[in-house]
Each structure stands twice: as structure tokens, then as C-alpha cells.
Amino acid sequence: MLTKDGVPIVFHDYTLTRMCGVDRYTHQCTWGEIKDMGFLSYKAALVQGLLPESVKAPEIPSFAQVVERVLASDMHFYIEIKELMQLDLMCQQLVDTFKSYPELYNRACIISFHPQALYQIRALDPNIRTVVLIRKRPITSWSSSCPDAFPWWVHKMPSFWDRMLYWSCLTWIPWFVGASAVGVHNSIITPAD
């Protein structure tokens, strides 16, 4: 994800509410604001006396910090593009990072539920490995949690669009975006809810 000032960060949620107790989207905050936020669990542990004050608060890391740590530890990793806000800038920064750290070509893979993100990555650098992620009922879940992200006609028939996207991800989308593989979300391989 990118901050308001265009700094890539490593953070799972679109908002800071659940993890930090701040009711804002990550893309609405600058890197300076985000790096100084603490996690709710750390704050609660301090208040309850479960941690000594000498324990340093964990921080939301920038993508550059994570890349440096991962490469120093000799690990392989997945980089997930989670949102489409500032997608052009995000893709360019990821490609620039791969070029700055050539070992990423062998140790990292970009994954996403958003085929257009992977298409852009491969258009900028066809040597980066990418994986299209698929899940059950993505449109139904995304359209209810992010209503502004979809046009009105998607909201009218979400189950139809879910089936179309699922079929597309299994047939032509990986080929079209140049994906190296297809990744399956656990919602597909676990029993129905």
C-alpha cells in the first residue's frame, strides 16, 4: 500500500482502525504520521503492565525496510498488491525496487487478487514473477466492504460477477496478464461456510 505521500508500506488492512485504533485509511496518511503510530495490542499491554516500558513499540514498516530485512535473512517472499489506489505509482515503485535489488527476481513474487495490477507489473518488467490469486465470492465481499470501488451495475448482480471472475481467473486471465502461476485462497479449498 502507498501512503498519501507515496511511500510503500507493509500493512494488511486498508484502514488503521483495527490495528492502530485510528479511523483513517492508510492512503490518507503520510509516512511521517504512519511510522509514529503504535499498535493497539502494544498500547494495551503497556497499560496492563504486561510489558516493561523499555520494550520498543513495534512500528508499521516501510516496504524498503522489509526488503532490506528479508534479503539480509536469505528468505524468499511474496509481495501482495492489496489495493488499487495509486496503482500506477505502486507498480512503478515495485519495479524500481526489483531493479535496485536484482536478487528479488529470484527471491520474490508479486501476488494479487487484482489482475490489472499484475498486468501493469508485467508490462513494466516481464521478468518479475507474478501470481493471480483467486477466491470464492470476491465481488460479493469487496462490494459490501468497499462500495465506492465498484460501479452501480456490479452491485446489482454480485453473484453473477463472482462466477464470471472465478471462471476468468481459471481460464484466460492468467494467460492475459502473463502470470507465472495461479494462487488459491483458502476459501476455495475449505468447506463452505
Side-chain angles (χ1 to χ4, degrees), residues 7 21 25 49 69 73 78 134:
V7 176
Y25 288 97
R69 282 190 180 172
S73 68
Y78 294 108
I134 60 174

Side-chain angles (χ1 to χ4, degrees), residues 10-25:
V10 177
F11 196 70
H12 182 271
D13 297 353
Y14 298 109
T15 71
L16 297 159
T17 309
R18 182 174 66 96
M19 297 298 292
C20 302
V22 178
D23 191 24
R24 290 176 71 188
Y25 288 97

Side-chain angles (χ1 to χ4, degrees), residues 96-169:
D96 292 346
T97 302
F98 271 74
K99 290 179 179 175
S100 297
Y101 299 93
E103 58 269 38
L104 286 176
Y105 287 99
N106 295 320
R107 296 183 40 202
C109 182
I110 297 180
I111 64 175
S112 185
F113 287 105
H114 306 292
Q116 64 272 40
L118 301 177
Y119 181 83
Q120 279 190 247
I121 290 290
R122 295 286 288 197
L124 292 168
D125 189 339
N127 297 312
I128 296 175
R129 288 180 279 182
T130 59
V131 175
V132 175
L133 299 176
I134 60 174
R135 64 179 293 164
K136 281 187 182 174
R137 300 184 299 279
I139 303 296
T140 301
S141 63
W142 293 334
S143 66
S144 60
S145 63
C146 308
D148 297 337
F150 294 95
W152 66 269
W153 47 268
V154 171
H155 294 283
K156 295 296 179 194
M157 300 185 307
S159 62
F160 169 77
W161 296 114
D162 281 335
R163 288 182 181 93
M164 289 300 296
L165 182 58
Y166 183 74
W167 172 82
S168 298
C169 283

